[in-house]
Amino acid sequence: MGPKNVITAVAQGHTAAVSIDLFCSEKDLHDRPSPLTNLIHQKMGIHEWMYDSAVAPDLRFKVPHAEKAKSLKDRLMEVELGFDVETAFKEAERCLNCDVQTVFATDRCIECDACVDICPTACITFTENGKEDELRTRLTASANELNQDLYVSDELKTKRVMVKDENVCLHCGLCAERCPTAAWDMQKYLYNTAKAGGKVYA
Ligand code: SF4
Ligand code: SF4
């Protein structure tokens, strides 16, 4: 029937994501999180986030549609036909790992710039701090998406700060893999479900 409005589409996206996670974890699809659910983050072991971090240059694969001549005549007809298995695998390889975030520890950084060198999108810049408007103009990859906050660290030993434009970060984990002091860390965000009795379980 197609989406009803944005809120319904987002809710359906959440529902689908929960189902996919349960299915991939070989758990019961009917075991849904309660409505009182929050996201928490969890430190990951190095082998957990050293996933296939190759950056796929592929553009988004388009979902095949039913013939317009047929779908325009029948408004109840499913228009999006879904990917075949091969294309679905290719599309999944473009995964942006949205549940895994880069977390920066200022006190561990020795400002060696190794993360700057390895980052495929040039989204890490070490520079003097400044007002946001002006700071945005000094980043290696210009941060033009004003609705997306910048990630600005505390002051480093050289009085500079680390600035990361979250808008272009691929969550590939290469910065954390390269960093000699583990100043970059990949942390996974999980559902935290409130249960009866006031206790909270992950
Ligand atoms: S996780 Fe983000 S910041 Fe780190 S190397 Fe990949 S794109 Fe760059
Ligand atoms: S690789 Fe690690 S230590 Fe080196 S500049 Fe980046 S965060 Fe700092």
Side-chain angles (χ1 to χ4, degrees), residues 102 115 118-121 123-124 164 168-176 184 186:
T102 50
C115 55
I118 196 94
C119 177
T121 62
C123 67
I124 303 172
K164 180 152 93 71
V168 291
C169 175
L170 299 172
H171 302 183
C172 65
L174 289 174
C175 51
W184 280 116
M186 307 305 287

Side-chain angles (χ1 to χ4, degrees), residues 39-79:
L39 280 179
I40 56 162
H41 62 92
Q42 172 187 294
K43 185 170 172 57
M44 298 168 74
I46 190 166
H47 296 294
E48 275 184 280
W49 56 254
M50 283 178 77
Y51 34 66
D52 180 6
S53 45
V55 178
D58 301 322
L59 296 176
R60 185 175 191 160
F61 293 92
K62 290 187 179 154
V63 177
H65 285 184
E67 272 179 62
K68 272 194 194 140
K70 288 184 187 163
S71 59
L72 287 173
K73 279 188 190 150
D74 178 2
R75 59 185 282 275
L76 295 182
M77 184 178 174
E78 197 71 58
V79 175

